[in-house]
Amino acid sequence: MQSIFRIAFWAALAFAVTMAVLPHPPQLAGEMNDKFQHMMAFATLAVLAVLAYPGMSKIRIALSLVAVGAGIEIVQMIPVLHRDAEWMDLAADTCAILVMLAVVTLAFGWHRRTR
């Protein structure tokens, strides 16, 4: 099962980064707010990272994903991409990562106590 989560994590990461750096990304269904899209992407990545790499510390996962978010914002500063880099996007990414890691930690702890 861990292999499936690893494939899902890397596929989701590739999709998120690609969508973030395309000069004219396709519109996703539902016209979601940009910050909401960031939060959904990084919440998903955080959960998949924990499931894909259960032995990795949550702090390392958080720092790695925040670095990805920062990298995206830096790449979006390239003028030819016609993208808007916003540090509030990184803040949204970071909040989603931290919230989901806390939720996963609590859920795993609760699951272990009820077994």
Side-chain angles (χ1 to χ4, degrees):
M1 195 71 182
Q2 192 174 5
S3 297
I4 292 170
F5 287 128
R6 285 186 179 178
I7 291 168
F9 170 77
W10 289 105
L13 181 64
F15 177 77
V17 170
T18 299
M19 293 298 285
V21 300
L22 283 175
H24 303 288
Q27 292 295 322
L28 299 177
E31 285 295 319
M32 290 183 280
N33 177 297
D34 178 57
K35 301 299 180 274
F36 182 76
Q37 289 177 1
H38 276 266
M39 294 176 80
M40 291 303 298
F42 278 88
T44 301
L45 289 170
V47 171
L48 287 173
V50 170
L51 295 172
Y53 300 96
M56 186 180 290
S57 77
K58 308 255 184 344
I59 292 171
R60 185 172 176 193
I61 289 172
L63 291 174
S64 298
L65 290 175
V66 169
V68 169
I72 287 170
E73 296 308 314
I74 290 168
V75 169
Q76 287 182 342
M77 290 178 185
I78 299 171
V80 72
L81 293 179
H82 303 290
R83 296 298 300 255
D84 296 322
E86 297 180 29
W87 295 111
M88 288 307 293
D89 288 346
L90 181 59
D93 300 344
T94 303
C95 287
I97 292 163
L98 295 176
V99 166
M100 289 314 294
L101 290 179
V103 167
V104 167
T105 300
L106 290 172
F108 283 174
W110 177 80
H111 179 70
R112 285 188 190 109
R113 284 191 301 270
T114 60
R115 285 177 27 176

